[in-house]
Amino acid sequence: MLPTWTDPVSRAASTLVGGPWGRHGLVGRQWFWTPLRVCLALAIVVLGLSWVFKSPCRDGAWTAGKQYTHMCYSDVVPLFFTEHLNTGAVPYRDHAVEYPVLTGGFMFVASRLSRAYDAHAGGLLPRVNPVESYFDVTALLLACCALVVVWGVTRLSGRRPWDAAMVALSPVVLVHAFTNWDLFAVALSTLALVAWGARRPVVAGVLVGLGTAAKLYPLLFFVPLLLLCWRTRRWREFWLAVIGALGSWLAVNVPVALAYPDSWSQFFRLNETRPADPDTLWNVLQFGTGRSLDGSLAAGASPVVLNTAVFLAFAAALVGIAVLTVRARRQPRLAQLLFLVVAAFLLTNKVWSPQYSLWLVPLAVLARPSWRAYLAWQATEVFLWFPRMYWYLGTANKGVDEQWFLLAVLIRDTAVLVYCALVIRDILAPDRDVVRASGPPPGSDGDWAERDPAGGVFDPADWDREGWDGESAPAPEFATNLVPGSAAGSAVGSAVGSDPPSDPPSESVSVPSGRDG
């Protein structure tokens, strides 16, 4: 697919480099700058800017609220000291860590690499403070995770490899790539989707288990897998994935849990007893009513009412998603359901740390690759960071009142809800889904088989040619015209500016109206 022909934002942005793709250029003739390499290069630029954005805080000298006034706060810096990584402590053995096992391991590996750098610094290697070398090593490792995510989205996008540019250029990645260690779990979960798309359920399950050992949210992936397996009756693949996930999670967690049970359970105790975080709808509710759902609690007590309300709200959202999955005329795509489930979890949860929004980035791109809606949502995420930092700064230091911060929270949550509504609309009206309108993969026999590029066994490419839930669906007419290297493909452009069309050629592009909401 040519983004400058099918996406209005891409079309408008292309004027900076000469306009939309030309009529008389050639497709697929550039041997080096493939879509993947271009997207990886864009991601490297954004990650470099993200490091620059966080760099004022990397020295740990946070005086006069510099981490708030410069908006460069990152958990990596203070936890270097509070988790005793500066003294060479081993997570869980020497100190209880508030994160799952693999994230603790990630922190430990980064600390060992940074200590090795400090030991050999001098000459060509500049000497820096230990906390600075630790932050830089952590940022480098997380940047590699981000590149894995871009690669994975390219693999999962079918005929739309340029959709990975939405991940590479993500404003949320720019602001929060190095706020915490979440990109590690995002990379593992993206690899799990790649394995599922390649019809390797055991490998996918193993990667989901490892992702859950780094951050709990990849466990949610089994919800849409369960729903789609229920609809398609493909239970074998589901149980293989469950066995793989359980095996990998136990392999990582059991040794630590047996050796250091108190330290290992710290993460679960913290999540049970913590109150509503500032960035949640529950905190907005409590601010509006002027009271906590649980009233006054003793130190360390669990907010039972809040925890119950969170559970019931999320369960209600899952019931709605299940009904949507079962009742939809055409089977929803896996990425659509994944986005809805993770978004529902964040919206109903009592914790939404700023970097959690990274979880949604690849899922939003795979669920609904529309630049307009995507950038609108991402803008609210970036905007929220500013009042959040200035609220922490305090009004006595020229910060902002809490109500302004909570207003930004409501704006962000509204944007996520709107994105969910657009995904639901695409499920109920499949002709609006730009992924389904992308046509067959290059080299296919012409059938419009790739209706769910990331679906794996849920993709009807393995099914009867009678099609989707008993309906046949021919390929869009323009699909065969865009196959790189084909005779018809040579008629469309690879060189911008060679007689670009003022409007997309009617014989080459068929865009359902209203899908870019």
Side-chain angles (χ1 to χ4, degrees):
M1 293 298 292
L2 302 178
T4 57
W5 287 8
T6 59
D7 187 275
V9 175
S10 298
R11 183 174 174 80
S14 69
T15 58
L16 298 174
V17 290
W21 208 265
R23 290 180 185 273
H24 303 295
L26 300 175
V27 172
R29 299 299 179 90
Q30 176 54 257
W31 69 271
F32 184 79
W33 286 114
T34 61
L36 172 60
R37 288 172 180 162
V38 171
C39 291
L40 290 175
L42 293 174
I44 291 172
V45 172
V46 170
L47 291 165
L49 292 175
S50 182
W51 181 88
V52 172
F53 180 65
K54 298 291 188 182
S55 61
C57 288
R58 59 192 281 270
D59 59 2
W62 292 1
T63 58
K66 182 175 74 171
Q67 70 273 31
Y68 304 133
T69 57
H70 289 65
M71 302 183 198
C72 57
Y73 175 84
S74 170
D75 287 331
V76 175
V77 174
L79 291 183
F80 178 67
F81 301 101
T82 59
E83 303 294 355
H84 304 292
L85 297 171
N86 59 320
T87 63
V90 177
Y92 308 104
R93 188 192 72 181
D94 301 325
H95 186 264
V97 178
E98 61 182 81
Y99 293 100
V101 170
L102 276 190
T103 296
F106 190 100
M107 297 161 64
F108 174 71
V109 169
S111 69
R112 283 294 185 262
L113 291 175
S114 66
R115 289 169 72 87
Y117 175 90
D118 295 337
H120 295 87
L124 295 178
L125 298 177
R127 293 186 181 275
V128 294
N129 293 330
V131 66
E132 292 180 278
S133 62
Y134 175 70
F135 179 85
D136 290 345
V137 169
T138 300
L140 181 61
L141 294 176
L142 291 174
C144 293
C145 293
L147 296 179
V148 169
V149 175
V150 173
W151 172 84
V153 171
T154 304
R155 289 291 302 270
L156 294 165
S157 296
R159 282 192 55 83
R160 303 179 56 90
W162 289 108
D163 288 345
M166 299 173 71
V167 177
L169 298 174
S170 166
V172 172
V173 172
L174 173 65
V175 175
H176 293 306
F178 310 131
T179 299
N180 199 281
W181 292 269
D182 288 65
L183 274 176
F184 180 42
V186 175
L188 288 171
S189 61
T190 303
L191 289 175
L193 287 180
V194 172
W196 184 269
R199 296 171 177 81
R200 295 191 172 116
V202 175
V203 177
V206 168
L207 289 166
V208 169
L210 294 177
T212 305
K215 212 77 172 183
L216 199 59
Y217 93 94
L219 184 63
L220 299 173
F221 284 20
F222 282 111
V223 175
L225 290 181
L226 175 63
L227 294 176
L228 289 175
C229 285
W230 175 274
R231 176 158 178 161
T232 61
R233 299 298 188 265
R234 291 178 173 263
W235 290 111
R236 177 178 176 274
E237 290 82 1
F238 175 79
W239 292 117
L240 287 174
V242 169
I243 292 170
L246 186 62
S248 62
W249 187 88
L250 290 174
V252 171
N253 280 270
V254 168
V256 179
L258 292 177
Y260 318 109
D262 290 338
S263 297
W264 175 81
S265 59
Q266 172 71 10
F267 166 75
F268 300 98
R269 291 196 302 269
L270 176 65
N271 280 276
E272 180 186 356
T273 59
R274 69 191 302 173
D277 262 20
D279 290 29
T280 64
L281 289 173
W282 301 107
N283 185 50
V284 174
L285 175 63
Q286 292 178 161
F287 180 85
T289 59
R291 59 183 297 273
S292 170
L293 292 179
D294 287 271
S296 58
L297 289 173
S302 298
V304 176
V305 176
L306 174 61
N307 290 344
T308 303
V310 168
F311 173 79
L312 293 176
F314 184 49
L318 292 184
V319 170
I321 295 171
V323 172
L324 175 67
T325 304
V326 174
R327 297 294 297 273
R329 179 172 62 90
R330 289 188 176 181
Q331 180 179 294
R333 291 188 291 109
L334 175 60
Q336 292 173 321
L337 296 181
L338 282 170
F339 175 81
L340 293 177
V341 169
V342 176
F345 176 77
L346 289 173
L347 288 166
T348 59
N349 197 21
K350 65 175 181 178
V351 182
W352 190 337
S353 298
Q355 70 277 0
Y356 286 8
S357 298
L358 289 168
W359 305 353
L360 291 175
V361 170
L363 301 180
V365 171
L366 294 171
R368 194 174 192 276
S370 167
W371 278 98
R372 184 182 299 171
Y374 179 75
L375 290 179
W377 158 56
Q378 299 250 313
T380 66
E381 295 282 3
V382 174
F383 171 71
L384 176 58
W385 184 243
F386 291 83
R388 189 184 217 274
M389 292 291 96
Y390 274 90
W391 173 56
Y392 281 163
L393 185 64
T395 54
N397 296 311
K398 300 182 180 179
V400 300
D401 291 327
E402 184 176 6
Q403 56 264 34
W404 293 106
F405 163 62
L406 295 180
L407 176 61
V409 170
L410 287 174
I411 293 173
R412 186 275 309 276
D413 289 354
T414 301
V416 174
L417 285 170
V418 170
Y419 209 102
C420 289
L422 293 173
V423 172
I424 293 172
R425 186 187 69 171
D426 290 347
I427 292 174
L428 297 177
D431 59 307
R432 294 178 178 270
D433 186 352
V434 295
V435 175
R436 285 183 174 142
S438 300
S444 70
D445 59 4
D447 291 340
W448 191 24
E450 195 177 17
R451 298 182 187 136
D452 189 355
V457 297
F458 302 136
D459 186 346
D462 284 349
W463 299 4
D464 191 309
R465 285 188 55 176
E466 286 302 312
W468 190 274
D469 292 3
E471 300 179 21
S472 60
E477 182 179 348
F478 70 86
T480 55
N481 295 334
L482 300 182
V483 178
S486 66
S490 64
V492 292
S494 69
V496 173
S498 59
D499 190 18
S502 57
D503 293 299
S506 58
E507 70 275 10
S508 296
V509 177
S510 174
V511 182
S513 61
R515 70 176 181 226
D516 291 305

